[in-house]
């Protein structure tokens, strides 16, 4: 199955999933719940601008392309270790079918850490934005390839209305039209949707075509910290890394050693 077909399959499943959730808890009931939410207000954008490393550490049990990475990963153990190791922000996968994540993982993370958290999922309905707000997310991922342009603009506006920042994910030049002045962060996914091939050069190529004041995040395929040093020189502020840490025996310790090596190299620049 081609990756594009997999994306279509994921989106179709996500629509079914959200429709089912609405039958259990209506949109009106969900909206009523938001008014009682009092989570800490943390800016992922500002955290990346302040950070000297910009690492967004991801909690991820599984992926569609590689299967289980760490099937029995426990958020209560890994998430606080990520913060202690020096992560600037956290990415929590909440898709259950393809990534073995849950909204409970994010709610758990919010109760344990004091850094910004982004809900990483396939957002195709405003219902999911309300969910993100309720469980404690500070930001959400909106994927250009998963949303028609007008739906994206509507979701961006609703996210901001809920005081959620948005990381817009793009993959290619044809998605540059999604970039607006009010976008908080722009993520460049280095994974080709047609082949699953990962090439970090995609970040360098697209960065040259983006507004100079953009808060840029490079996603997928980053393992060597020397790559981060190169990306930082091109203006990138954030680096979303999950698999490299999650596949290790101790993700928090792996991140700690990674950041120490990165800082040591940066000090020599």
């Amino acid at each position: 199955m081609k990756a594009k077909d997999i994306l279509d399959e994921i989106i179709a499943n996500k629509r079914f999933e959200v429709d089912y959730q609405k039958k259990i808890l209506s949109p009106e009931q969900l909206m009523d719940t938001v008014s009682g939410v009092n989570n800490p207000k943390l800016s992922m954008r500002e955290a990346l601008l302040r950070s000297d490393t910009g690492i967004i550490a991801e909690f991820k049990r599984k992926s569609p392309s590689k299967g289980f990475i760490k099937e029995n990963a426990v958020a209560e153990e890994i998430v606080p270790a990520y913060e202690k190791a020096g992560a600037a922000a956290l990415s929590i996968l909440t898709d259950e079918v393809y990534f073995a994540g849950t909204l409970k993982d994010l709610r758990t993370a919010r109760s344990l850490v004091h850094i910004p958290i982004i809900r990483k999922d396939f957002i195709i309905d405003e219902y999911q934005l309300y969910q993100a707000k309720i469980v404690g997310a500070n930001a959400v991922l909106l994927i250009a390839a998963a949303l028609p342009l007008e739906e994206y603009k509507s979701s961006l506006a609703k996210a901001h209305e809920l005081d959620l920042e948005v990381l817009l994910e793009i993959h290619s030049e044809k998605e540059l039209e999604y970039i607006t002045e009010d976008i908080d962060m722009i993520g460049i996914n280095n994974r080709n949707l047609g082949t699953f091939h990962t090439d970090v050069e995609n970040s360098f190529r697209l960065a040259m075509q983006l507004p100079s004041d953009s808060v840029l995040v490079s996603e997928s395929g980053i393992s060597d910290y020397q790559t981060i040093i190169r990306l930082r020189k091109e203006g990138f502020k954030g680096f979303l890394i999950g698999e490299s840490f999650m596949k290790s025996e101790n993700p928090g310790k792996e991140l700690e050693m990674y950041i120490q090596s990165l800082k040591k190299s940066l000090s020599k620049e």
Side-chain angles (χ1 to χ4, degrees):
M1 183 184 287
K2 292 181 180 179
K4 184 60 178 174
D5 295 332
I6 294 175
L7 179 64
D8 291 341
E9 178 190 313
I10 291 173
I11 297 304
N13 181 76
K14 190 60 61 176
R15 294 193 187 284
F16 174 82
E17 185 181 292
V18 172
D19 286 344
Y20 178 74
Q21 290 170 344
K22 287 178 179 178
K23 291 176 183 176
I24 297 174
L25 186 68
S26 73
E28 292 74 23
Q29 290 172 309
L30 190 69
M31 291 176 197
D32 286 343
T33 307
V34 169
S35 60
V37 172
N38 188 30
N39 289 312
K41 185 175 180 180
L42 299 166
S43 170
M44 181 172 165
R45 173 189 169 92
E46 292 303 318
L48 294 180
L49 288 173
R50 290 194 309 267
S51 175
D52 52 0
T53 62
I55 303 294
I56 305 165
E58 187 161 84
F59 182 78
K60 176 181 182 179
R61 295 188 181 92
K62 178 185 176 184
S63 79
S65 59
K66 298 189 177 181
F68 279 104
I69 300 165
K70 189 178 282 296
E71 184 173 0
N72 299 314
V74 178
E76 287 90 340
E77 296 174 1
I78 294 173
V79 166
Y82 273 161
E83 180 180 34
K84 185 179 178 182
L90 298 175
S91 169
I92 308 291
L93 266 299
T94 59
D95 175 83
E96 189 165 356
V97 175
Y98 298 92
F99 291 88
T102 67
L103 284 168
K104 183 182 177 183
D105 290 329
L106 203 155
R107 189 189 292 274
T108 297
R110 178 72 290 148
S111 69
L112 297 172
V113 301
H114 304 88
I115 54 177
I117 301 174
I118 183 168
R119 178 187 185 184
K120 191 175 180 186
D121 207 319
F122 298 85
I123 305 289
I124 47 86
D125 193 293
E126 289 183 356
Y127 189 89
Q128 295 163 282
L129 300 177
Y130 284 96
Q131 289 177 323
K133 179 69 176 180
I134 290 166
V135 297
N138 307 106
V140 291
L141 180 75
L142 294 182
I143 305 171
L147 287 167
L149 183 57
E150 290 309 309
E151 287 185 28
Y152 159 73
K153 290 179 179 178
S154 174
S155 295
L156 173 62
K158 176 56 69 174
H160 284 167
E161 183 183 313
L162 291 170
D163 205 20
L164 293 168
E165 292 183 334
V166 169
L167 172 62
L168 165 65
E169 178 179 296
I170 62 173
H171 303 80
S172 62
E173 286 87 347
K174 67 180 182 180
E175 293 166 349
L176 294 175
E177 63 179 336
Y178 281 71
I179 296 168
T180 55
E181 289 184 0
D182 55 345
I183 191 65
D184 303 293
M185 298 160 285
I186 302 172
I188 299 177
N189 195 329
N190 301 312
R191 181 166 288 121
N192 185 298
L193 283 178
T195 63
F196 269 142
H197 175 66
T198 301
D199 183 6
V200 176
E201 294 304 316
N202 194 44
S203 282
F204 293 100
R205 185 169 53 82
L206 287 177
M208 294 186 293
Q209 304 176 58
L210 299 175
S212 59
D213 60 347
S214 302
V215 176
L216 301 181
V217 176
S218 185
E219 310 170 34
S220 300
I222 303 171
S223 54
D224 181 3
Y225 57 83
Q226 295 294 337
T227 301
I228 291 182
I229 293 172
R230 288 178 57 215
L231 287 165
R232 284 173 64 90
K233 289 178 180 177
E234 296 302 317
F236 281 84
K237 302 296 184 185
F239 312 94
L240 196 152
I241 308 174
E243 188 175 326
S244 294
F245 306 141
M246 291 298 294
K247 69 183 181 183
S248 69
E249 186 175 339
N250 187 329
K253 188 65 178 177
E254 190 73 17
L255 172 59
E256 182 182 1
M257 293 188 295
Y258 189 94
I259 287 179
Q260 286 174 356
S261 297
L262 174 58
K263 285 184 174 180
K264 190 177 294 183
S265 293
L266 286 171
S267 68
K268 296 176 182 176
E269 292 294 311

